[in-house]
Amino acid sequence: MSIKQKFKLLAQEKRAGLIIYVTAGYPDINFTEDFVQRLQEVGVDFIEIGVPFSDPVADGPVIQACSQKALENKVNLESIFNLCDRLKSKLSIPYLLMSYYNPVYQYGLEKFARDCAETNVSGAIIPDLPFEESAQFRAQLKKFSIDQILFISSTTSSERRKKILKVATGFIYYIAVYGVTGTRDFLPEETYQDVARLRDQATIPVAVGFGISNRQQILRLKTCADGIIIGSFVMKEIMAGHYTYLLDTLKEFHRILKNPDEKF
Amino acid sequence: MAKLPDKKGRFGIYGGKFAPETLMAPIAELEYAYFTTGTSRQFHKELDYYLRNYAGRPTSLYYAENFSKEIGCKVFLKREDLAFTGAHKINNTIGQVLLAKKMGKTRVIAETGAGQHGVATATAAALFKLECEIYMGEIDMQRQALNVYRMRLLGARVNCVSSGSRTLKDAINEALRDWISNFKTTHYVIGSVVGFHPFPVMVRDFQSVIGKETRRQILKMEKRLPDYLVACVGGGSNSIGLFHPFYNDKNVKFIGVEAAGKGLDTDYHSATLCKGTPGILHGSFSYVLQDKNGQIHPTHSISAGLDYPGTGPEHSFYKDTKRAEYYAVNDQQVLNAFHVLSEKEGIIPALESAHAIAYLVENKKRFNPDDIVVVCLSGRGDKDVNEVARIEGVQL
């Protein structure tokens, strides 16, 4: 299913989608393969599969540690595309790849885009590839109908926002906090207002990520965002082995998103 | 010849701005501040004042007669070891911290390998009354303990980085993470000609004082330009600072010397330009030491300041266009050069700078008696004395 189709379904259901990040290969690749299916079962709407990188400058300690472990397990784009190939028949929800640019660049931009298409990967998220540097990559993705997910942060000027919105497909990844990935108890007040404004301006859905881990945040975001992205919280619980707690929590988040009467 | 970098921060295909979206606004803010304020006449007047009266510039260009006899050509040492705090790093930090102050920032952060850039940043921060925090790899903190204490004396907080390879690369990662979180109050003083635009051009411009002075000095002393410029290359700031003002003098050959560590055929070196391939690290497209999957290699060098798997985009451009030649010397050759210069000239070089010296010692045949060779003696070796003693098994 494409990202667009999925958001269309979510719009019909009048609810925000739940997007979950997992580092591929943590603690090992078989776990990842099994776990994303559990995520689908508890109602997760999109999976973001993280490609490990040696120098993840936009990530906090949790994802750094998971990436390092995955690299020790010799996980690379080749093994991740093999994983995605196996997921083709197992996941009916869309899945995306999230990677720093260098592994993708060394793999080959065209080869990356083709392999995405062949393994049903619907989008690519590259945190260190801003709009200015991404035309070449986007052109390759476009050839194979893969979305490049572009970021907007509260620091993005209105002029830049216009340029980004003009070329963006799939959804906009709104960065909720200043800083790196990792859970925060509270998001800045301005985040909620800025997301609402951006959503009015954008013609594609807006998903919010970075720092999200609790029910209060979900309750507030569900009214202003089209998607909610959770990563470090998930990896932290996986690291601790709290699988049941994690899946129950995500099930609860899904329930909150589905219930229009439950408000902040 | 078009002026480089272009507006996008590209030196040919190298450079650019591969930054997370959150940083694009602070980068734009810095770009604006640098190309308006930072390049203004008023700013340079002020900068010159501090470089002259505080940092002790100009540094001398010294005809190293004894060492020249050893090599068989005329060797001049650009004495950056005489600059305040003991290395060329101060040229850049006074410039950047002064700019940060004018931008209204109250805090500066920096990464450091050998500790020289950390000390120079802490010094400038004390001078301009800004809060200062330094990131340093755990391994480097051990081998450069003296500099850690110097930074603390200067009022800086030194943060130990124990992620990844626990050296310079990881210190940069942590500093970038700090900057993403605190850019409203904080300027990130990058210590070399690396990172996203405008860092490579800004650091180059601040370090170009080395080459500009050298040019004036050699013309006065020898009435002609040198045949060779030789400098060590890690990130590449002292070398670009020396080379760049001679860029259009096509008869002046540039030689960059990297760290071959335990040997170029081993995994223990930091010779990015000799052995690396183009890739993206720390915000720019440049040569990088990496595996086939694009993961960055751990590096090794006897000198903490060269222990880095990337290099400046302008060096990558010089390499591809053959404007500069790049070689590497190993740890043993460096130790030998460290002793040779100490004994022949009474100058103890930093282990980083000893790489440039080692190239001459190992390649005497290349040079003719009339050749004029300028070597950038980028730093003094006091900081390395303990480490050299340890390596050579000397009890102090």
Side-chain angles (χ1 to χ4, degrees), chain A residues 51-60 64 68 71 75-77 101-103 105-107 127-133 151-153 155-156 160 164 175 177-180 190, chain B residues 8 10 15-26 163-164 169-170 173-174 176-177 180-181 183-184 277-282 285 288 290-296:
Chain A
V51 179
F53 182 49
S54 53
D55 296 83
V57 293
D59 284 303
Q64 284 176 46
Q68 200 160 347
L71 288 175
V75 169
N76 56 29
L77 269 172
Y101 194 38
N102 199 46
Y105 184 83
Q106 302 305 333
Y107 193 76
D128 58 345
L129 186 66
F131 160 74
E132 285 85 345
E133 303 284 358
F151 290 86
I152 285 181
S153 111
T155 62
T156 308
R160 261 179 80 75
I164 292 168
I175 304 167
V177 297
Y178 294 154
V180 293
E190 63 187 41
Chain B
K8 289 177 145 182
R10 293 279 185 165
K17 273 186 214 171
F18 295 86
E21 179 62 27
T22 309
L23 280 181
M24 293 306 280
S163 57
K169 160 180 90 85
D170 310 282
N173 291 344
E174 276 315 309
L176 281 169
R177 290 179 186 124
I180 296 178
S181 313
F183 57 82
K184 292 226 157 150
T277 49
I280 299 103
L281 175 67
H282 295 148
F285 184 62
V288 178
Q290 57 184 329
D291 68 15
K292 65 176 181 5
N293 296 313
Q295 306 297 340
I296 308 306

Coordinates of all heavy atoms in Angstrom, one line a residue, chain A residues 51-60 64 68 71 75-77 101-103 105-107 127-133 151-153 155-156 160 164 175 177-180 190, chain B residues 8 10 15-26 163-164 169-170 173-174 176-177 180-181 183-184 277-282 285 288 290-296:
Chain A
V51 N 18.0 2.1 9.2 CA 19.3 1.6 8.7 C 20.4 2.1 9.6 O 20.5 3.3 9.8 CB 19.6 2.0 7.2 CG1 20.9 1.5 6.7 CG2 18.4 1.7 6.3
P52 N 21.1 1.2 10.3 CA 22.2 1.6 11.2 C 23.3 2.4 10.5 O 23.7 2.1 9.4 CB 22.7 0.3 11.9 CG 22.4 -0.7 10.9 CD 21.1 -0.3 10.2
F53 N 23.8 3.4 11.2 CA 25.0 4.1 10.7 C 26.0 4.4 11.8 O 25.6 4.5 13.0 CB 24.5 5.5 10.1 CG 25.6 6.3 9.5 CD1 26.5 5.8 8.6 CD2 25.7 7.7 9.8 CE1 27.5 6.6 8.0 CE2 26.7 8.5 9.3 CZ 27.6 7.9 8.3
S54 N 27.2 4.4 11.5 CA 28.3 4.6 12.5 C 28.3 5.9 13.2 O 28.8 6.1 14.3 CB 29.7 4.3 11.8 OG 29.8 5.2 10.7
D55 N 27.8 7.0 12.5 CA 27.8 8.3 13.0 C 26.5 9.0 13.0 O 26.3 10.0 12.2 CB 28.9 9.1 12.3 CG 30.3 8.5 12.6 OD1 30.6 7.5 11.9 OD2 31.0 9.0 13.5
P56 N 25.5 8.6 13.8 CA 24.2 9.1 13.7 C 24.0 10.4 14.4 O 23.5 10.4 15.6 CB 23.3 8.0 14.3 CG 24.2 7.3 15.2 CD 25.6 7.5 14.7
V57 N 24.4 11.5 13.8 CA 24.4 12.8 14.5 C 23.1 13.4 14.9 O 23.0 14.2 15.8 CB 25.2 13.9 13.7 CG1 26.7 13.5 13.6 CG2 24.6 14.2 12.4
A58 N 22.0 12.9 14.3 CA 20.7 13.4 14.7 C 20.0 12.6 15.8 O 18.9 12.8 16.1 CB 19.8 13.6 13.5
D59 N 20.7 11.5 16.2 CA 20.1 10.6 17.2 C 20.7 10.7 18.6 O 21.9 10.9 18.7 CB 20.3 9.2 16.6 CG 19.3 8.9 15.5 OD1 18.1 9.0 15.8 OD2 19.8 8.5 14.4
G60 N 19.8 10.5 19.5 CA 20.2 10.4 20.9 C 20.8 9.1 21.3 O 21.0 8.2 20.4
Q64 N 21.6 5.5 19.0 CA 23.0 5.3 18.8 C 23.4 3.9 19.3 O 24.1 3.2 18.6 CB 23.8 6.3 19.7 CG 23.9 7.7 19.2 CD 24.6 8.6 20.2 OE1 25.7 8.2 20.7 NE2 24.1 9.8 20.5
Q68 N 24.7 0.9 16.9 CA 26.0 0.2 17.1 C 25.9 -1.3 17.2 O 26.7 -2.0 16.5 CB 26.7 0.8 18.3 CG 28.2 0.6 18.4 CD 28.8 1.6 19.3 OE1 28.2 2.6 19.8 NE2 30.1 1.3 19.6
L71 N 25.2 -2.8 13.8 CA 26.4 -2.8 13.0 C 27.3 -4.0 13.4 O 27.9 -4.6 12.5 CB 27.1 -1.5 13.0 CG 26.5 -0.3 12.3 CD1 27.3 1.0 12.6 CD2 26.4 -0.6 10.8
V75 N 24.6 -5.8 10.0 CA 23.4 -5.5 9.2 C 23.8 -4.4 8.3 O 24.6 -3.4 8.6 CB 22.3 -5.0 10.2 CG1 21.2 -4.3 9.4 CG2 21.8 -6.1 11.0
N76 N 23.4 -4.5 7.0 CA 23.7 -3.4 6.0 C 22.5 -3.3 5.1 O 21.5 -4.0 5.3 CB 25.0 -3.7 5.3 CG 24.9 -5.1 4.6 OD1 23.9 -5.6 4.2 ND2 26.1 -5.7 4.5
L77 N 22.6 -2.5 4.1 CA 21.4 -2.2 3.2 C 21.0 -3.5 2.5 O 19.8 -3.8 2.3 CB 21.6 -1.1 2.3 CG 21.2 0.3 2.8 CD1 21.7 1.4 1.8 CD2 19.7 0.3 3.0
Y101 N 22.6 9.6 4.9 CA 22.8 9.6 3.5 C 24.0 8.7 3.0 O 23.9 8.1 1.9 CB 23.0 11.0 3.0 CG 22.8 11.2 1.5 CD1 21.9 10.5 0.7 CD2 23.7 12.1 0.8 CE1 21.8 10.7 -0.6 CE2 23.5 12.3 -0.5 CZ 22.6 11.6 -1.3 OH 22.5 11.8 -2.6
N102 N 25.0 8.7 3.7 CA 26.2 8.0 3.2 C 26.0 6.5 2.8 O 26.4 6.1 1.8 CB 27.4 8.2 4.1 CG 28.7 7.9 3.4 OD1 28.9 8.4 2.3 ND2 29.6 7.1 4.0
P103 N 25.4 5.7 3.7 CA 25.1 4.3 3.3 C 24.3 4.2 2.0 O 24.6 3.4 1.2 CB 24.3 3.8 4.5 CG 24.8 4.6 5.7 CD 25.0 6.0 5.1
Y105 N 24.1 6.6 -0.4 CA 25.0 7.1 -1.5 C 26.0 6.0 -2.0 O 26.2 5.8 -3.2 CB 25.7 8.3 -1.0 CG 26.5 9.0 -2.1 CD1 26.0 9.8 -3.0 CD2 27.9 8.7 -2.2 CE1 26.7 10.4 -4.1 CE2 28.7 9.2 -3.3 CZ 28.1 10.1 -4.2 OH 28.8 10.6 -5.2
Q106 N 26.6 5.3 -1.0 CA 27.5 4.3 -1.4 C 26.8 3.1 -2.0 O 27.4 2.4 -2.9 CB 28.4 3.8 -0.2 CG 29.1 4.9 0.6 CD 30.1 5.7 -0.3 OE1 30.5 5.2 -1.4 NE2 30.3 7.0 0.0
Y107 N 25.6 2.8 -1.6 CA 24.9 1.7 -2.2 C 24.5 2.0 -3.7 O 24.4 1.1 -4.5 CB 23.6 1.5 -1.4 CG 22.8 0.2 -1.7 CD1 23.2 -1.0 -1.1 CD2 21.6 0.3 -2.4 CE1 22.5 -2.1 -1.4 CE2 20.9 -0.9 -2.7 CZ 21.4 -2.1 -2.1 OH 20.7 -3.3 -2.4
P127 N 17.7 11.8 7.3 CA 17.8 13.0 8.1 C 18.9 14.0 7.8 O 18.7 15.2 8.2 CB 18.0 12.4 9.5 CG 18.5 11.0 9.3 CD 17.9 10.6 8.0
D128 N 19.9 13.6 7.1 CA 21.0 14.6 6.9 C 21.0 15.0 5.4 O 22.1 15.4 4.9 CB 22.4 14.0 7.3 CG 22.7 12.7 6.6 OD1 21.9 12.0 6.1 OD2 23.9 12.3 6.7
L129 N 19.9 14.8 4.7 CA 19.8 15.2 3.3 C 18.7 16.3 3.2 O 17.6 16.0 2.9 CB 19.5 14.0 2.4 CG 19.6 14.3 0.9 CD1 21.0 14.7 0.5 CD2 19.0 13.1 0.1
P130 N 19.1 17.6 3.4 CA 18.1 18.6 3.3 C 17.6 18.8 1.9 O 18.3 18.4 0.9 CB 18.8 19.8 3.9 CG 20.2 19.6 3.6 CD 20.4 18.1 3.7
F131 N 16.5 19.5 1.8 CA 15.9 19.9 0.5 C 17.0 20.3 -0.6 O 16.9 19.8 -1.7 CB 14.9 20.9 0.8 CG 14.5 21.7 -0.3 CD1 13.6 21.2 -1.3 CD2 14.9 23.0 -0.5 CE1 13.2 21.9 -2.4 CE2 14.5 23.8 -1.5 CZ 13.7 23.2 -2.5
E132 N 17.9 21.2 -0.2 CA 18.8 21.8 -1.1 C 19.7 20.7 -1.8 O 20.2 20.9 -2.9 CB 19.8 22.8 -0.4 CG 19.2 24.1 -0.1 CD 18.5 24.1 1.2 OE1 18.2 22.9 1.7 OE2 18.2 25.1 1.8
E133 N 20.0 19.7 -1.1 CA 21.0 18.7 -1.6 C 20.3 17.5 -2.2 O 21.0 16.5 -2.6 CB 21.9 18.2 -0.5 CG 22.7 19.3 0.2 CD 23.9 19.9 -0.6 OE1 24.1 19.4 -1.7 OE2 24.5 20.8 -0.1
F151 N 11.7 16.9 5.8 CA 11.5 17.4 7.1 C 11.2 18.9 7.1 O 11.6 19.6 6.3 CB 12.8 17.2 8.0 CG 13.2 15.8 8.3 CD1 13.9 15.0 7.4 CD2 12.8 15.3 9.5 CE1 14.3 13.7 7.7 CE2 13.2 14.0 9.8 CZ 13.9 13.2 8.9
I152 N 10.4 19.3 8.2 CA 10.3 20.7 8.5 C 10.4 20.8 10.0 O 9.9 19.9 10.7 CB 8.9 21.2 8.0 CG1 9.0 21.4 6.4 CG2 8.5 22.5 8.7 CD1 7.7 22.0 5.8
S153 N 11.1 21.8 10.4 CA 11.2 22.0 11.9 C 10.7 23.4 12.2 O 10.4 24.2 11.3 CB 12.7 21.8 12.4 OG 13.2 23.0 12.8
T155 N 12.2 25.7 13.2 CA 13.2 26.7 12.7 C 13.1 26.9 11.2 O 13.8 27.8 10.7 CB 14.6 26.2 13.1 OG1 14.9 25.0 12.4 CG2 14.8 26.0 14.6
T156 N 12.4 26.1 10.5 CA 12.3 26.2 9.0 C 11.6 27.5 8.7 O 10.4 27.7 9.1 CB 11.7 25.0 8.4 OG1 12.3 23.8 8.9 CG2 11.8 25.1 6.9
R160 N 11.4 28.7 3.1 CA 11.9 27.3 2.9 C 10.7 26.3 2.9 O 10.6 25.4 2.1 CB 12.8 26.9 4.0 CG 14.3 27.0 3.6 CD 15.1 26.6 4.8 NE 15.2 25.2 5.0 CZ 16.0 24.4 4.3 NH1 16.7 24.9 3.3 NH2 16.0 23.1 4.5
I164 N 9.8 23.5 0.2 CA 9.8 22.1 0.6 C 8.4 21.5 0.2 O 8.3 20.4 -0.3 CB 10.1 21.9 2.1 CG1 11.6 22.3 2.3 CG2 9.8 20.5 2.6 CD1 12.0 22.4 3.8
I175 N 9.6 18.0 12.9 CA 10.5 17.7 14.0 C 10.0 18.5 15.2 O 10.0 19.7 15.3 CB 12.0 18.1 13.7 CG1 12.4 17.3 12.5 CG2 12.9 17.8 14.9 CD1 13.7 17.9 11.9
V177 N 10.9 18.8 18.4 CA 11.8 19.5 19.5 C 13.1 19.9 18.8 O 13.5 19.5 17.8 CB 12.1 18.5 20.6 CG1 10.8 18.1 21.4 CG2 12.9 17.3 20.1
Y178 N 13.8 20.8 19.5 CA 15.2 21.2 19.2 C 16.0 20.0 19.7 O 15.9 19.7 20.9 CB 15.6 22.4 19.8 CG 15.0 23.7 19.4 CD1 14.9 24.8 20.2 CD2 14.4 23.8 18.1 CE1 14.3 26.0 19.8 CE2 13.8 24.9 17.7 CZ 13.7 26.0 18.6 OH 13.1 27.2 18.2
G179 N 16.8 19.5 18.9 CA 17.7 18.5 19.5 C 17.6 17.2 18.7 O 17.1 17.1 17.6
V180 N 18.2 16.1 19.4 CA 18.3 14.8 18.7 C 17.1 14.0 19.2 O 16.3 14.4 20.0 CB 19.6 14.1 19.2 CG1 20.8 14.9 18.6 CG2 19.8 14.0 20.7
E190 N 4.7 25.6 21.5 CA 4.7 26.2 20.1 C 4.6 25.1 19.1 O 4.1 25.3 18.0 CB 5.9 27.1 19.9 CG 7.2 26.3 19.9 CD 8.4 27.2 19.9 OE1 8.5 28.2 20.5 OE2 9.4 26.7 19.2
Chain B
K8 N 26.6 27.5 -3.1 CA 26.1 26.4 -2.3 C 27.2 25.8 -1.5 O 27.0 24.7 -0.9 CB 25.6 25.3 -3.3 CG 24.3 25.7 -4.0 CD 23.9 24.7 -5.0 CE 22.4 24.6 -5.1 NZ 22.0 23.5 -6.0
R10 N 30.2 24.7 -2.6 CA 30.8 23.6 -3.3 C 32.2 24.0 -3.8 O 32.3 25.0 -4.5 CB 29.9 23.1 -4.5 CG 28.6 22.5 -4.1 CD 28.8 21.1 -3.7 NE 27.5 20.4 -3.4 CZ 27.4 19.1 -3.3 NH1 28.4 18.3 -3.5 NH2 26.2 18.6 -3.0
G15 N 31.9 19.4 -0.8 CA 31.4 20.4 0.1 C 29.9 20.2 0.3 O 29.4 19.1 0.3
G16 N 29.2 21.3 0.3 CA 27.7 21.3 0.5 C 27.3 21.4 1.9 O 28.1 21.8 2.8
K17 N 26.0 21.1 2.1 CA 25.4 21.3 3.4 C 24.5 20.1 3.7 O 23.3 20.2 3.5 CB 24.4 22.5 3.3 CG 25.0 23.8 3.6 CD 23.9 24.9 3.6 CE 24.4 26.2 3.1 NZ 23.3 27.1 2.9
F18 N 25.1 19.0 4.2 CA 24.3 17.8 4.5 C 24.0 17.8 6.0 O 24.6 17.2 6.8 CB 25.1 16.6 4.1 CG 25.3 16.5 2.6 CD1 26.4 17.1 2.0 CD2 24.4 15.8 1.8 CE1 26.5 17.1 0.6 CE2 24.5 15.8 0.4 CZ 25.6 16.4 -0.2
A19 N 23.0 18.7 6.3 CA 22.7 18.9 7.7 C 21.2 18.5 8.0 O 20.4 18.6 7.1 CB 22.9 20.4 8.0
P20 N 21.0 18.1 9.2 CA 19.6 17.9 9.6 C 18.8 19.2 9.5 O 19.4 20.3 9.7 CB 19.7 17.5 11.1 CG 21.1 17.0 11.3 CD 21.9 17.8 10.3
E21 N 17.5 19.1 9.2 CA 16.7 20.3 8.9 C 16.7 21.3 10.0 O 16.8 22.5 9.8 CB 15.3 19.8 8.6 CG 14.3 21.0 8.4 CD 14.6 21.8 7.1 OE1 15.2 21.3 6.2 OE2 14.2 23.0 7.1
T22 N 16.8 20.8 11.3 CA 16.8 21.8 12.4 C 18.0 22.7 12.3 O 17.9 23.9 12.8 CB 16.8 21.0 13.7 OG1 15.8 20.0 13.7 CG2 16.6 21.9 14.9
L23 N 19.1 22.2 11.8 CA 20.3 23.1 11.7 C 20.3 24.0 10.6 O 21.2 24.9 10.5 CB 21.5 22.2 11.7 CG 22.0 21.6 13.1 CD1 23.3 20.8 12.9 CD2 22.2 22.7 14.1
M24 N 19.4 23.8 9.6 CA 19.5 24.7 8.4 C 19.3 26.2 8.7 O 19.9 27.0 8.1 CB 18.5 24.2 7.3 CG 18.8 22.8 6.8 SD 20.5 22.7 6.1 CE 20.3 23.4 4.5
A25 N 18.5 26.5 9.7 CA 18.3 27.9 10.1 C 19.5 28.4 10.8 O 20.0 29.5 10.4 CB 17.0 28.0 10.9
P26 N 20.0 27.8 11.8 CA 21.3 28.3 12.4 C 22.4 28.4 11.4 O 23.3 29.3 11.5 CB 21.6 27.4 13.5 CG 20.6 26.3 13.5 CD 19.5 26.7 12.6
S163 N 31.5 7.5 23.2 CA 30.8 6.7 22.2 C 31.7 6.4 21.0 O 32.7 7.1 20.8 CB 29.5 7.5 21.7 OG 29.9 8.8 21.2
G164 N 31.4 5.4 20.2 CA 32.1 5.1 19.0 C 33.6 4.8 19.2 O 33.9 4.1 20.1
K169 N 36.4 12.1 15.7 CA 35.2 12.0 15.0 C 34.0 11.9 15.9 O 32.9 12.6 15.7 CB 35.2 10.6 14.2 CG 33.9 10.0 13.8 CD 34.2 8.7 13.0 CE 34.2 7.5 13.9 NZ 32.8 7.0 14.2
D170 N 34.1 11.2 17.0 CA 33.0 11.1 18.0 C 32.8 12.4 18.8 O 31.7 12.7 19.1 CB 33.2 9.9 18.9 CG 33.6 8.7 18.0 OD1 32.7 8.1 17.5 OD2 34.8 8.4 17.9
N173 N 30.7 14.4 16.5 CA 29.3 14.0 16.6 C 28.6 14.6 17.8 O 27.4 15.1 17.8 CB 29.2 12.4 16.8 CG 29.6 11.7 15.5 OD1 29.7 12.3 14.4 ND2 29.9 10.5 15.6
E174 N 29.2 14.5 19.0 CA 28.6 15.0 20.2 C 28.4 16.5 20.2 O 27.4 17.1 20.6 CB 29.5 14.6 21.5 CG 29.2 13.3 22.0 CD 27.7 12.9 22.1 OE1 26.9 13.7 22.7 OE2 27.3 11.8 21.6
L176 N 28.0 18.3 17.5 CA 26.8 18.6 16.6 C 25.5 18.3 17.3 O 24.6 19.1 17.2 CB 26.9 17.7 15.4 CG 27.9 18.1 14.3 CD1 28.1 17.0 13.3 CD2 27.4 19.4 13.6
R177 N 25.5 17.3 18.2 CA 24.2 17.0 18.9 C 23.9 18.1 19.9 O 22.8 18.5 20.1 CB 24.3 15.7 19.6 CG 24.3 14.5 18.7 CD 24.5 13.1 19.4 NE 24.6 12.1 18.4 CZ 25.6 11.2 18.3 NH1 26.6 11.3 19.2 NH2 25.7 10.3 17.4
I180 N 22.6 21.1 17.8 CA 21.2 21.0 17.4 C 20.2 21.3 18.5 O 19.1 21.8 18.3 CB 20.9 19.5 16.9 CG1 21.7 19.1 15.7 CG2 19.4 19.3 16.6 CD1 21.6 17.7 15.2
S181 N 20.7 21.1 19.7 CA 19.8 21.3 20.9 C 19.9 22.8 21.4 O 18.9 23.3 21.9 CB 20.2 20.4 22.0 OG 20.3 19.1 21.6
F183 N 21.4 25.8 19.6 CA 21.9 26.8 18.7 C 21.4 28.2 19.0 O 22.0 29.1 18.5 CB 21.6 26.4 17.3 CG 20.1 26.1 17.0 CD1 19.2 27.2 16.8 CD2 19.6 24.9 17.1 CE1 17.9 27.0 16.6 CE2 18.2 24.6 16.9 CZ 17.4 25.7 16.7
K184 N 20.3 28.3 19.7 CA 19.8 29.7 19.9 C 20.8 30.5 20.7 O 20.9 31.7 20.5 CB 18.4 29.6 20.7 CG 17.3 29.0 19.9 CD 16.0 29.8 19.9 CE 15.2 29.6 18.7 NZ 13.8 29.7 18.9
T277 N 37.6 7.3 -0.1 CA 36.8 7.5 -1.2 C 35.8 8.5 -0.9 O 35.5 8.8 0.2 CB 36.1 6.2 -1.6 OG1 35.4 5.7 -0.4 CG2 37.0 5.1 -2.2
P278 N 35.2 9.2 -1.9 CA 34.2 10.3 -1.6 C 33.0 9.8 -0.9 O 32.5 8.7 -1.2 CB 33.9 10.8 -3.0 CG 35.1 10.5 -3.9 CD 35.5 9.1 -3.4
G279 N 32.5 10.5 0.0 CA 31.3 10.2 0.8 C 30.9 11.4 1.6 O 31.4 12.5 1.5
I280 N 29.9 11.1 2.4 CA 29.3 12.2 3.2 C 29.5 12.0 4.7 O 29.1 11.0 5.3 CB 27.8 12.4 3.0 CG1 27.5 12.7 1.5 CG2 27.2 13.5 3.9 CD1 27.0 11.6 0.7
L281 N 30.3 12.9 5.3 CA 30.5 12.8 6.8 C 30.5 14.2 7.4 O 31.1 15.1 6.8 CB 31.9 12.1 7.1 CG 32.3 12.0 8.6 CD1 31.3 11.2 9.4 CD2 33.7 11.6 8.7
H282 N 29.8 14.3 8.5 CA 29.8 15.6 9.2 C 29.5 16.8 8.3 O 30.1 17.9 8.4 CB 31.2 15.9 9.9 CG 31.4 14.9 11.0 ND1 32.7 14.5 11.3 CD2 30.6 14.3 11.8 CE1 32.6 13.6 12.4 NE2 31.3 13.4 12.7
F285 N 30.4 16.7 1.5 CA 30.8 15.6 0.6 C 32.3 15.8 0.4 O 32.8 16.8 0.0 CB 30.0 15.8 -0.7 CG 30.3 14.7 -1.7 CD1 30.0 13.4 -1.4 CD2 30.9 15.0 -2.9 CE1 30.3 12.4 -2.4 CE2 31.2 14.0 -3.9 CZ 30.8 12.7 -3.6
V288 N 36.5 10.2 2.5 CA 36.2 9.7 3.8 C 36.8 8.3 3.8 O 36.9 7.6 2.8 CB 34.7 9.5 3.9 CG1 34.3 8.9 5.3 CG2 34.0 10.9 3.8
Q290 N 36.0 4.7 4.7 CA 34.8 4.0 5.0 C 34.8 2.6 4.4 O 35.7 2.3 3.6 CB 33.6 4.8 4.3 CG 33.9 5.0 2.8 CD 32.8 5.9 2.2 OE1 31.7 5.9 2.6 NE2 33.2 6.6 1.1
D291 N 33.9 1.8 4.8 CA 33.8 0.5 4.2 C 32.8 0.5 3.1 O 32.3 1.6 2.7 CB 33.4 -0.6 5.3 CG 32.0 -0.4 5.8 OD1 31.2 0.3 5.2 OD2 31.7 -1.0 6.9
K292 N 32.6 -0.6 2.4 CA 31.8 -0.6 1.2 C 30.3 -0.3 1.5 O 29.6 0.0 0.6 CB 32.0 -2.0 0.4 CG 31.5 -3.2 1.2 CD 31.6 -4.4 0.3 CE 31.1 -5.7 0.8 NZ 30.4 -5.8 2.1
N293 N 29.9 -0.5 2.7 CA 28.6 -0.1 3.1 C 28.4 1.3 3.5 O 27.3 1.7 4.0 CB 28.1 -1.0 4.3 CG 28.1 -2.5 3.9 OD1 27.5 -2.8 2.8 ND2 28.7 -3.4 4.7
G294 N 29.4 2.1 3.4 CA 29.3 3.5 3.8 C 29.4 3.8 5.3 O 29.0 4.8 5.8
Q295 N 29.9 2.8 6.0 CA 30.1 3.0 7.5 C 31.5 3.6 7.6 O 32.4 3.1 7.0 CB 30.0 1.7 8.3 CG 28.7 0.9 8.1 CD 27.4 1.7 8.5 OE1 27.5 2.7 9.3 NE2 26.3 1.4 8.0
I296 N 31.6 4.5 8.5 CA 32.9 5.2 8.7 C 33.9 4.4 9.5 O 33.5 3.8 10.5 CB 32.7 6.6 9.4 CG1 31.6 7.4 8.7 CG2 34.0 7.4 9.5 CD1 31.7 7.6 7.3

